[in-house]
Amino acid sequence: EAQVTQNPRYLITVTGKKLTVTCSQNMNHEYMSWYRQDPGLGLRQIYYSMNVEVTDKGDVPEGYKVSRKEKRNFPLILESPSPNQTSLYFCASSPEVGNQPQHFGDGTRLSIL
Amino acid sequence: AQSVTQLGSHVSVSEGALVLLRCNYSSSVPPYLFWYVQYPNQGLQLLLKYTSAATLVKGINGFEAEFKKSETSFHLTKPSAHMSDAAEYFCAVRRGDSYDKEIFGPGTSLSVIP
């Protein structure tokens, strides 16, 4: 089954404690992306990757890091989380073709205390 | 640059009534347009897409949308709402001339009243 898998689905942690949210896709997609979803703001892109070892900032990259060492994986790293990063996070992937939609994971709800 | 607006952050309809969710876009080049649906505790799923073929696009679950270039609109409709249609709906735009990121609207929450 084609899917994007995120882990964990839920996480409550404290300010400053480094965390990683993993994302893996099994569709051999070139393009992967991270979004955060906040009420009234829709989805805002954090980082994206056009292919292995190629990453770039989205609209809200501050406080986040990513890496793309393998085509299937695109982890999101919060080196020193802060309460304003409490949000719902989605990973997505798509072929590098403009008319193809993105496939989304089920989301990770992060609470930073 | 591309942008998307969705009029109405929350829409309520009665079961069996027409569903109309509005989406207007801005794009400097012919766009690709998408509607996604998000059910509680789930990711976004594609409802339908416009990719410069037919202007009236049919999607899953009885939804359809019409691309109107003159109005820069891509409104989503369904003739008869069902309780299971209650969800968050997002319109998104992407450049149609080269691969680029997708820009999402703020979303519209649809409630269906029995």
Side-chain angles (χ1 to χ4, degrees):
Chain A
E1 180 189 351
Q3 60 186 359
V4 177
T5 303
Q6 296 179 229
N7 281 296
R9 291 291 314 277
Y10 304 91
L11 178 64
I12 301 174
T13 187
V14 296
T15 299
K17 186 176 181 182
K18 181 179 178 180
L19 67 90
T20 298
V21 184
T22 63
C23 174
S24 180
Q25 50 95 3
N26 63 359
M27 295 165 280
N28 201 36
H29 286 166
E30 294 85 7
Y31 183 87
M32 296 187 73
S33 183
W34 275 104
Y35 296 89
R36 60 178 289 172
Q37 183 181 13
D38 301 290
L41 297 177
L43 275 74
R44 293 181 292 168
Q45 191 179 52
I46 302 170
Y47 269 93
Y48 64 97
S49 170
M50 298 294 282
N51 215 323
V52 176
E53 302 293 359
V54 180
T55 64
D56 210 344
K57 296 177 180 179
D59 300 315
V60 288
E62 293 77 22
Y64 305 95
K65 285 176 56 178
V66 293
S67 68
R68 188 93 181 271
K69 294 184 171 60
E70 306 164 282
K71 197 171 188 179
R72 63 182 292 125
N73 296 324
F74 190 46
L76 178 70
I77 303 156
L78 284 72
E79 293 269 5
S80 183
S82 62
N84 65 11
Q85 294 177 297
T86 292
S87 188
L88 179 58
Y89 291 85
F90 287 100
C91 181
S93 73
S94 71
E96 195 180 338
V97 177
N99 63 1
Q100 295 303 308
Q102 295 187 78
H103 295 252
F104 284 83
D106 285 336
T108 295
R109 187 166 291 280
L110 284 184
S111 294
I112 315 294
L113 304 178
Chain B
Q2 284 68 42
S3 67
V4 178
T5 57
Q6 292 182 243
L7 186 61
S9 59
H10 191 93
V11 171
S12 292
V13 300
S14 298
E15 192 173 16
L18 171 71
V19 175
L20 171 60
L21 304 182
R22 299 179 186 274
C23 172
N24 288 87
Y25 70 91
S26 171
S27 179
S28 55
V29 298
Y32 295 133
L33 293 158
F34 306 87
W35 273 102
Y36 293 88
V37 60
Q38 183 184 28
Y39 298 106
N41 298 315
Q42 295 185 26
L44 280 70
Q45 305 171 34
L46 181 71
L47 267 180
L48 49 80
K49 65 179 182 180
Y50 166 77
T51 58
S52 74
T55 56
L56 182 61
V57 181
K58 294 188 185 300
I60 62 171
N61 301 338
F63 284 94
E64 62 181 39
E66 187 172 8
F67 173 71
K68 292 187 176 180
K69 184 178 178 180
S70 61
E71 298 176 9
T72 60
S73 69
F74 190 55
H75 301 331
L76 182 70
T77 60
K78 182 174 180 178
S80 177
H82 192 274
M83 295 298 293
S84 61
D85 294 327
E88 188 91 15
Y89 292 80
F90 293 93
C91 183
V93 64
R94 191 190 288 167
R95 292 179 68 104
D97 64 341
S98 62
Y99 193 83
D100 198 3
K101 66 180 182 180
E102 225 162 300
I103 305 298
F104 287 84
T108 297
S109 177
L110 176 66
S111 298
V112 182
I113 305 165

